């Protein structure tokens, strides 16, 4: 960005990184203030012809304040990603990797709200039971029962590729 306007080109001459650069113009004094947090560099603030501000520590204060803002922004993004991941884990069955009962209840509430508001909602519900799971668990062990459930779920997901699948 220069004066609030971003560069439109993907690749550009490095001279464009210097604000107000004029190869034929007079010499200027540039101050580059790095914007970073720990080992992550976000870019630089570039000031031109402001040695008086450097002397009164303006740039140092400005840099510190920008670092605090960037750190809070980075922290907020990290928390947002963690929250999204936790919500996904909360709504997913760990064995079969399909939606679980919590996700089903949320979808049910969403559909009911659409119906209550008078929207024209089209959907279908199909329920499947995996037979003989107790017999498989008792005879061959729970690991075999897990394999049986995963394969049954994979089969259902393949048949209903464009529909959400829930393990209840």
């Amino acid at each position: 960005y220069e004066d609030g306007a971003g560069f439109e080109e993907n690749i550009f001459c490095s001279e464009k990184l210097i604000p107000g650069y004029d190869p034929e113009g007079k010499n200027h004094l540039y101050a580059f203030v790095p914007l970073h947090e720990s080992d992550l560099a976000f870019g630089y603030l570039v000031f031109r012809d402001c040695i008086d501000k450097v002397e009164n520590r303006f740039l140092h204060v400005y840099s510190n304040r920008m670092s605090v803002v960037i750190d809070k922004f980075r922290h907020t993004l990290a928390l947002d990603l963690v929250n999204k991941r936790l919500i996904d884990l909360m709504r997913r069955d760990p064995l079969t990797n399909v939606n679980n009962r919590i996700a089903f209840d949320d979808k049910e509430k969403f559909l009911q709200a659409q119906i209550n508001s008078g929207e024209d909602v089209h959907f279908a519900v199909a329920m499947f039971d995996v037979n003989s799971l107790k017999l498989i668990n008792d005879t061959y062990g729970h690991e075999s029962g897990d394999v049986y459930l995963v394969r049954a779920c994979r089969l259902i997901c393949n048949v209903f590729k464009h529909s959400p699948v829930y393990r209840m």
Side-chain angles (χ1 to χ4, degrees):
Y1 285 86
E2 180 180 2
D3 296 328
F7 291 106
E8 301 206 6
E9 305 92 20
N10 289 333
I11 299 173
F12 50 85
C13 182
S14 60
E15 292 159 344
K16 288 188 176 185
L17 293 172
I18 301 173
Y21 177 78
D22 179 9
E24 305 298 323
K26 69 176 189 164
N27 290 331
H28 297 281
L29 174 66
Y30 292 95
F32 292 82
V33 179
L35 299 174
H36 59 85
E37 173 59 34
S38 301
D39 295 336
L40 302 173
F42 296 100
Y44 294 88
L45 292 176
V46 183
F47 296 89
R48 184 176 81 174
D49 297 328
C50 56
I51 192 66
D52 56 325
K53 293 189 176 23
V54 173
E55 289 174 353
N56 71 15
R57 299 183 48 82
F58 165 78
L59 291 178
H60 180 70
V61 171
Y62 193 77
S63 173
N64 284 343
R65 288 182 181 165
M66 287 299 294
S67 291
V68 168
V69 168
I70 288 172
D71 185 46
K72 287 184 185 285
F73 180 70
R74 182 188 56 79
H75 185 69
T76 300
L77 285 177
L79 284 177
D80 188 48
L81 289 172
V82 167
N83 284 336
K84 286 178 181 175
R85 180 70 179 129
L86 287 173
I87 288 170
D88 185 52
L89 287 172
M90 178 186 75
R91 299 169 49 90
R92 193 154 294 282
D93 177 58
L95 177 65
T96 59
N97 202 33
V98 298
N99 298 307
N100 64 14
R101 178 65 186 240
I102 294 170
F104 177 81
D105 290 343
D106 290 346
K107 184 67 170 185
E108 181 183 30
K109 289 173 189 169
F110 174 76
L111 287 171
Q112 189 62 54
Q114 285 183 307
I115 292 167
N116 292 346
S117 71
E119 285 187 47
D120 187 24
V121 182
H122 300 278
F123 65 93
V125 176
M127 297 186 83
F128 302 92
D129 185 27
V130 179
N131 293 328
S132 306
L133 180 60
K134 180 171 177 14
L135 178 65
I136 292 170
N137 282 338
D138 292 345
T139 306
Y140 302 104
H142 288 276
E143 287 181 9
S144 295
D146 288 350
V147 170
Y148 182 59
L149 282 172
V150 169
R151 287 183 178 169
C153 188
R154 198 173 301 143
L155 175 67
I156 293 167
C157 287
N158 285 336
V159 171
F160 296 95
K161 287 181 180 151
H162 301 292
S163 300
V165 175
Y166 303 88
R167 179 175 177 205
M168 309 284 283

